[in-house]
Amino acid sequence: KDEAYLQPRCLLNLSRCLVKLAEIDSTSGNVGCAGQRKRATRQEKYRSSAVLGCSITITLCEHLKESTASPDVALLDSLIGKARVIRSRAFIGRNMLKNAMVDAKKVTTQDPDDKDALKLVSEIKAIEARSKLLDKKISREVCRWVKKATTTSEGAAAIERMDEESSI
């Protein structure tokens, strides 16, 4: 039985290693492959590969649950949960918080006591709250700049020049 589940376990361990590698590899610069237009950092590539590895693991486990004569459903569900947690971590690193939250919440609905998934949900909520706070600060600062530019004599003169140039 263990041999039947060797492939998803290997993919899961590889994905876990890729997420960890993205955290510790501090090499700067972009990498690309032949035929690719967009170049990405090594960390982005590691996380992207981890997402793919976890997605394949989940698909493979779901396939094994349906196609195997007597699957070990508890083990396969456990592997799927672990894959979702690892994929959620990779999504957080790629700043794809909605995807990360979907995976983390799916794990908590399957196993409400999963400490890793609960920790991820709170971590994602904290990141989202921090992001909203930063967005508010930036918005206020932009409003101040606009107000200053439109209410001062220098700002009003600049706007008039822009209007004259656009009418020409």
Side-chain angles (χ1 to χ4, degrees):
K1 241 181 184 179
D2 287 340
E3 290 177 14
Y5 305 127
L6 185 61
Q7 188 176 13
R9 286 180 178 178
C10 288
L11 283 167
L12 196 57
N13 285 332
L14 176 64
S15 298
R16 188 178 289 123
C17 290
L18 287 166
V19 169
K20 194 66 174 171
L21 193 55
E23 292 172 9
I24 62 173
D25 185 2
S26 60
T27 307
S28 61
N30 294 334
V31 293
C33 297
Q36 274 187 334
R37 285 190 209 155
K38 184 182 175 195
R39 296 176 62 82
T41 65
R42 294 168 70 112
Q43 292 79 10
E44 289 169 343
K45 291 281 190 180
Y46 294 143
R47 289 183 180 111
S48 178
S49 298
V51 167
L52 290 173
C54 289
S55 299
I56 293 168
T57 301
I58 292 166
T59 304
L60 185 58
C61 288
E62 288 173 350
H63 174 73
L64 288 170
K65 280 170 58 174
E66 294 174 10
S67 67
T68 309
S70 58
D72 186 348
V73 176
L75 175 64
L76 290 171
D77 284 341
S78 171
L79 290 173
I80 290 171
K82 289 175 185 176
R84 288 193 190 284
V85 167
I86 294 167
R87 188 168 70 173
S88 183
R89 284 241 169 261
F91 278 138
I92 290 171
R94 296 183 70 203
N95 204 26
M96 300 172 75
L97 299 179
K98 288 181 181 175
N99 298 29
M101 185 63 87
V102 167
D103 272 346
K105 284 193 174 185
K106 279 187 181 179
V107 175
T108 58
T109 56
Q110 294 291 325
D111 182 7
D113 298 327
D114 189 310
K115 292 177 184 177
D116 289 334
L118 293 170
K119 183 179 172 185
L120 276 173
V121 169
S122 63
E123 186 179 323
I124 294 165
K125 286 181 180 179
I127 293 169
E128 288 173 338
R130 209 170 342 160
S131 179
K132 280 185 181 181
L133 183 65
L134 183 62
D135 289 348
K136 284 182 181 180
K137 286 181 180 180
I138 291 171
S139 294
R140 273 191 237 122
E141 193 61 33
V142 168
C143 288
R144 284 189 201 122
W145 291 342
V146 169
K147 183 177 180 181
K148 183 179 178 182
T150 56
T151 57
T152 63
S153 59
E154 293 172 11
I159 291 173
E160 284 180 25
R161 283 194 304 274
M162 287 174 37
D163 287 340
E164 290 172 3
E165 290 174 4
S166 65
S167 64
I168 296 175

